[in-house]
Amino acid sequence: MKEIIKERLENEFKTYKERVLTLDSQKIFDKSYETAIKQEIASSFTDGLNDDEVLEFLARFDSTEKLLDYLYDLWLDADGGIDSEIFDTLEMELQ
C-alpha cells in the first residue's frame, strides 16, 4: 500500500511541476512556497512514513482525487507560519 501511495504522490508532484514550469517566471516565483511544501509532502512518504492508519486513510481516496492537493490544504490549515518553525529550530540550537 505504501508503494502505491508513494507512486501516486510522486506522479501528482511531477504533473504539478510540469504545469508550473509552463508559467511565466513571476508566477513560478509566486508558487515557490507551494512547490516546496508539496515536494516535502511527497518525499515524506518516500522517505519513511510507515503509519498503517495514515496509509489506509490515504488509500481510500478515489484515483481521480488530487491527494497531494488534499495534503497541501491540510498543511495550510494547520500551518502556524514558517516563523514558528524557524524560532523553534533556533531555540533548539541555543540549548
Side-chain angles (χ1 to χ4, degrees):
M1 179 174 10
K2 179 180 176 180
E3 288 301 315
I4 293 169
I5 300 293
K6 174 185 153 187
E7 185 176 327
R8 182 173 175 181
L9 288 171
E10 287 173 348
N11 288 336
E12 286 183 24
F13 183 75
K14 180 182 175 191
T15 300
Y16 165 78
K17 181 179 172 182
E18 289 169 354
R19 190 173 59 246
V20 168
L21 289 174
T22 67
L23 302 172
D24 65 59
S25 56
Q26 180 60 49
K27 288 182 181 175
I28 290 172
F29 179 80
D30 293 343
K31 289 208 162 275
S32 60
Y33 178 80
E34 180 178 355
T35 301
I37 298 302
K38 284 185 173 183
Q39 186 173 27
E40 192 65 30
I41 289 168
S43 69
S44 71
F45 283 85
T46 302
D47 295 339
L49 179 68
N50 292 313
D51 187 328
D52 290 335
E53 221 173 270
V54 171
L55 293 170
E56 277 183 43
F57 172 76
L58 297 176
R60 287 189 236 147
F61 279 80
D62 185 276
S63 62
T64 61
E65 294 178 88
K66 300 288 186 209
L67 183 55
L68 190 57
D69 289 343
Y70 172 80
L71 294 171
Y72 177 70
D73 289 341
L74 278 179
W75 166 258
L76 288 178
D77 289 345
D79 185 13
I82 196 165
D83 59 327
S84 61
E85 292 182 35
I86 291 170
F87 288 120
D88 289 346
T89 302
L90 287 172
E91 187 175 87
M92 288 184 345
E93 184 66 26
L94 293 172
Q95 292 178 357

